[in-house]
């Protein structure tokens, strides 16, 4: 550690202890400093033993990575006004925090990272016992790698009886551990896997197409579960390393809570806000990648002109454009989708750009957008009601917003798909697809099989 930073940190701790004593209450101190380069996955691995769990985020552009260890503060919420609850809790924390952050880079300082359940009205099963309906975490330590520069934020909750010297000693020890070089443990190996009720799921797709043909709904997204057994307790850090290496154009995320870890590599941005500039993504319509370049181009061109996939995609474009237009100006949406290539598959993609009106926050937009017709359907209420009533899967945090926001109104949330819930020596993988009136159950089933591939391959399930 550079000595000046330690001296400044010591002064900041003194200031926080004084503030805690004068207000007779705990005080959050957030201290950000530049640090020498360190691999964020190593930082994540070093944080294994920290109380409260770890977080990880790598944006699709590869320009921002966040790794967090421990938990300084937890914000939880539930029910239909959960986003508003989160907003007011976050505002109060930031107003009262002592923030030492001369850097003011997006993703530095006191950031809150976390996720939400897909449907707060659906009964929860034991599968998601370690995850509340909604949770945002301020990590005790956050490594931010932004445009190649490294910053460490220490978030400390100081109490009136704390001694500054004790706090500084603990900080120095924990920071040294986190920033030390390390060798990643071995990744998991899948010893067996089993699909959950595949035939019943195909029958449900057929039922959904019948419901759509009867009128009232245009699209219903249906998801299913694949369970895998590992040969041993799974280490998360090597899985994140493999995802970061193999899944380009995707957001890599992990949220450890209790004994479990929800992680994934999702191509689907929900919303990014930086300096009031808003970027959202319409991603729906899927095809595999070709083995040869010629075959890949043929499949891609076929996807671009396929009636069923174009209708699936257009429902998403219309909804997001309408939702963004209600709170933004200068809304720009291309007339036609383009191909969005991933390692194992390709999607139809339409970006939505806008400028946020004053008074709106990123959680306002998350609330407006979730669930988009890419994960719920259209109309939203009717399609989510069908999913709630008929889908056997407990989606938990799958298919819902996951991401971060900082103290300067910057932030980014993605839709948590291509994901898995890791529970010691076993895991549940999730994949879904948009069902429209022309959907064929077998084809949708095959589409979900392709969507399991990215996460299954890094869990040691297949090459
Ligand atoms: C629901 C998922 O993917 C969504 C559905 C898609 C489709 O049906 O074409 C494509 C991308 C996603 O918006 C998933 O991967 O689980
Ligand atoms: Mg589809």
């Amino acid at each position: 550690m550079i000595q000046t930073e330690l001296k400044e940190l010591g002064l900041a701790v003194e200031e926080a202890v004084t503030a805690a004593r004068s207000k007779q209450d705990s005080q959050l101190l957030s201290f950000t400093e530049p640090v020498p380069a360190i691999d964020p996955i190593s930082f994540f691995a070093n944080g294994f033993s920290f109380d409260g769990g770890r977080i990880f985020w790598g944006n699709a552009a590869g320009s921002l990575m966040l790794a967090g260890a421990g938990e300084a503060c937890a914000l939880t919420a539930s029910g239909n006004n959960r986003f508003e609850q989160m907003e007011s809790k976050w505002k109060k924390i930031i107003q009262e925090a002592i923030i030492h952050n001369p850097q003011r880079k997006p993703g530095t300082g006191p950031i809150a990272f976390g996720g939400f359940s897909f449907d707060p009205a659906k009964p929860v099963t034991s599968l998601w016992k370690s995850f509340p309906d909604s949770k945002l975490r301020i990590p005790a330590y956050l490594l931010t790698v932004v445009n190649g520069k490294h910053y460490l934020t220490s978030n400390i909750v100081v109490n009136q009886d704390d001694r500054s010297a004790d706090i500084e000693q603990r900080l120095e020890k924990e920071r040294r551990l986190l920033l030390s070089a390390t060798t990643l443990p071995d990744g998991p190996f899948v010893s067996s896997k089993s699909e959950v009720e595949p035939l019943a799921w195909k029958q449900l797709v057929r039922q959904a197409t019948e419901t759509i043909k009867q009128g009232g709904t245009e699209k219903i997204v249906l998801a299913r579960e694949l369970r895998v057994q590992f040969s041993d307790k799974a280490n998360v850090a090597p899985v994140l390393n493999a995802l970061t290496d193999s899944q380009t154009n995707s957001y890599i995320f992990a949220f450890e809570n209790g004994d479990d870890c929800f992680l994934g590599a999702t191509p689907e941005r929900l919303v990014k806000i930086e300096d009031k500039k808003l970027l959202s993504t319409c991603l729906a319509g899927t095809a595999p990648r070709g083995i040869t370049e010629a075959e890949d181009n043929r499949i891609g061109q076929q996807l671009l002109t396929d009636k069923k996939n174009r209708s699936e995609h257009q429902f998403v474009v219309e909804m997001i454009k309408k939702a963004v237009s209600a709170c933004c100006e200068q809304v720009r949406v291309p007339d036609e989708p383009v191909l969005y290539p991933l390692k194992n598959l390709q999607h139809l993609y339409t970006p939505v750009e806008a400028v946020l009106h004053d008074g709106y926050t990123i959680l306002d937009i998350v609330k407006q957008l979730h669930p988009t017709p890419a994960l719920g359907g259209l109309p939203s209420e009717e399609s989510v009601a069908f999913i709630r009533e008929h889908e056997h899967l407990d989606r938990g945090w799958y298919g819902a917003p996951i991401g971060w926001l900082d103290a300067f109104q910057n932030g980014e949330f993605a839709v948590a798909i291509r994901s898995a819930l890791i529970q010691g020596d076993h895991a549940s993988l999730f994949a879904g697809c948009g069902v429209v009136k022309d959907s064929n159950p077998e084809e949708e089933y095959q589409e979900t099989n392709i969507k399991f591939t990215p996460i299954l391959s890094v869990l040691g399930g297949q090459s």
Side-chain angles (χ1 to χ4, degrees):
M1 231 55 61
I2 302 167
Q3 287 314 315
T4 46
E5 263 80 42
L6 271 183
K7 185 169 178 304
E8 281 177 36
L9 178 57
L11 291 173
V13 167
E14 292 279 357
E15 181 190 351
V17 170
T18 305
R21 286 176 185 156
S22 67
K23 66 181 187 176
Q24 299 283 304
D25 197 353
S26 61
Q27 173 65 52
L28 171 63
L29 164 64
S30 181
F31 185 91
T32 300
E33 62 197 298
V35 289
I38 175 171
D39 174 5
I41 306 269
S42 297
F43 184 98
F44 180 92
N46 289 336
F48 176 73
S49 59
F50 281 60
D51 288 343
R54 298 171 292 180
I55 65 151
F56 187 86
W57 174 266
N59 71 359
S63 59
L64 174 70
M65 293 178 105
L66 304 173
E71 182 169 283
C73 303
L75 296 75
T76 57
S78 60
N80 288 329
N81 67 340
R82 56 189 176 160
F83 296 108
E84 292 88 341
Q85 292 172 43
M86 281 296 193
E87 183 67 50
S88 59
K89 289 181 177 183
W90 178 240
K91 274 190 180 135
K92 184 172 185 300
I93 285 175
I94 291 305
Q95 277 162 3
E96 295 175 358
I98 296 175
I99 302 175
H100 283 255
N101 182 10
Q103 326 300 332
R104 285 185 65 88
K105 299 278 185 192
T108 63
I111 68 121
F113 178 87
F116 299 83
S117 67
F118 176 81
D119 178 3
K122 183 147 184 176
V124 179
T125 69
S126 59
L127 177 65
W128 288 90
K129 63 187 179 307
S130 297
F131 283 75
D133 173 71
S134 313
K135 180 169 181 178
L136 295 174
R137 171 184 295 154
I138 301 181
Y141 295 95
L142 175 77
L143 178 73
T144 306
V145 186
V146 53
N147 297 326
K149 293 195 182 318
H150 296 66
Y151 302 93
L152 176 68
T153 298
S154 306
N155 296 302
I156 311 116
V157 175
V158 173
N159 297 302
Q160 50 197 315
D161 304 331
D162 285 340
R163 282 175 9 92
S164 307
D166 296 344
I167 295 174
E168 289 171 55
Q169 197 175 24
R170 174 175 64 82
L171 290 174
E172 176 48 22
K173 179 168 154 276
E174 292 177 341
R175 288 142 56 104
R176 188 180 300 116
L177 167 63
L178 286 168
L179 295 172
S180 57
T182 190
T183 305
L184 295 185
D186 291 337
F189 176 77
V190 171
S191 50
S192 65
K193 57 188 180 198
S194 67
E195 296 179 271
V196 175
E197 302 176 340
L199 296 180
W201 188 82
K202 290 184 205 175
Q203 179 49 37
L204 184 59
V205 171
R206 190 168 293 108
Q207 182 183 340
T209 57
E210 292 312 312
T211 300
I212 292 166
K213 286 171 186 162
Q214 286 161 14
T217 44
E218 305 264 13
K219 174 178 180 180
I220 300 170
V221 179
L222 292 174
R224 65 190 184 96
E225 184 182 353
L226 172 68
R227 289 205 183 119
V228 299
Q229 182 66 43
F230 301 121
S231 51
D232 202 342
K233 185 175 181 333
N235 293 308
V236 172
V239 174
L240 291 176
N241 202 42
L243 284 175
T244 303
D245 288 347
S246 64
Q247 299 305 318
T248 51
N249 289 339
S250 296
Y251 293 86
I252 312 300
F253 65 87
F255 193 96
E256 264 183 347
N257 214 56
D259 298 328
D260 300 343
C261 182
F262 181 51
L263 56 75
T266 174
E268 190 149 350
R269 173 192 296 115
L270 188 65
V271 60
K272 175 184 181 181
I273 291 178
E274 191 168 322
D275 300 330
K276 291 203 165 301
K277 286 194 287 297
L278 179 144
L279 185 54
S280 184
T281 294
C282 312
L283 198 78
T286 304
R289 296 299 304 272
I291 294 172
T292 64
E293 190 177 342
E295 185 190 28
D296 198 41
N297 290 336
R298 180 184 58 76
I299 294 171
Q301 290 311 310
Q302 202 173 22
L303 178 60
L304 281 168
T305 54
D306 177 71
K307 182 169 167 286
K308 180 255 180 191
N309 278 287
R310 285 299 294 264
S311 74
E312 219 181 299
H313 183 81
Q314 193 54 29
F315 292 136
V316 182
V317 172
E318 284 160 15
M319 181 267 184
I320 292 181
K321 186 176 176 182
K322 185 178 173 196
V324 167
S325 301
C327 48
C328 295
E329 56 194 25
Q330 302 174 42
V331 180
R332 292 192 301 281
V333 186
D335 293 332
E336 296 289 319
V338 295
L339 294 175
Y340 194 80
L342 297 167
K343 184 168 185 276
N344 309 91
L345 44 85
Q346 52 193 318
H347 291 304
L348 296 178
Y349 168 82
T350 300
V352 177
E353 293 178 282
V355 175
L356 195 60
H357 286 319
D358 287 345
Y360 285 98
T361 67
I362 191 164
L363 287 177
D364 293 328
I365 311 304
V366 169
K367 175 183 173 65
Q368 290 305 317
L369 291 176
H370 175 72
T372 74
L375 266 296
L378 195 72
S380 180
E381 200 171 317
E382 289 79 354
S383 53
V384 171
F386 182 95
I387 295 165
R388 186 180 300 140
E389 185 179 345
H390 299 291
E391 189 176 78
H392 294 175
L393 169 66
D394 176 359
R395 291 193 180 188
W397 283 26
Y398 157 78
I402 189 148
W404 62 273
L405 67 162
D406 67 16
F408 318 119
Q409 287 311 318
N410 301 307
E412 187 160 23
F413 281 83
V415 179
I417 55 177
R418 317 291 144 89
S419 53
L421 178 63
I422 313 284
Q423 297 180 301
D425 65 355
H426 59 280
S428 289
L429 285 61
F430 310 103
C433 58
V435 177
V436 292
K437 64 181 171 47
D438 302 337
S439 282
N440 170 293
E442 185 56 34
E443 287 173 6
E444 301 298 357
Y445 170 75
Q446 292 306 335
E447 183 175 310
T448 52
N449 278 335
I450 309 171
K451 290 169 176 177
F452 282 127
T453 307
I455 203 81
L456 192 56
S457 62
V458 298
L459 290 175
Q462 65 185 40
S463 58

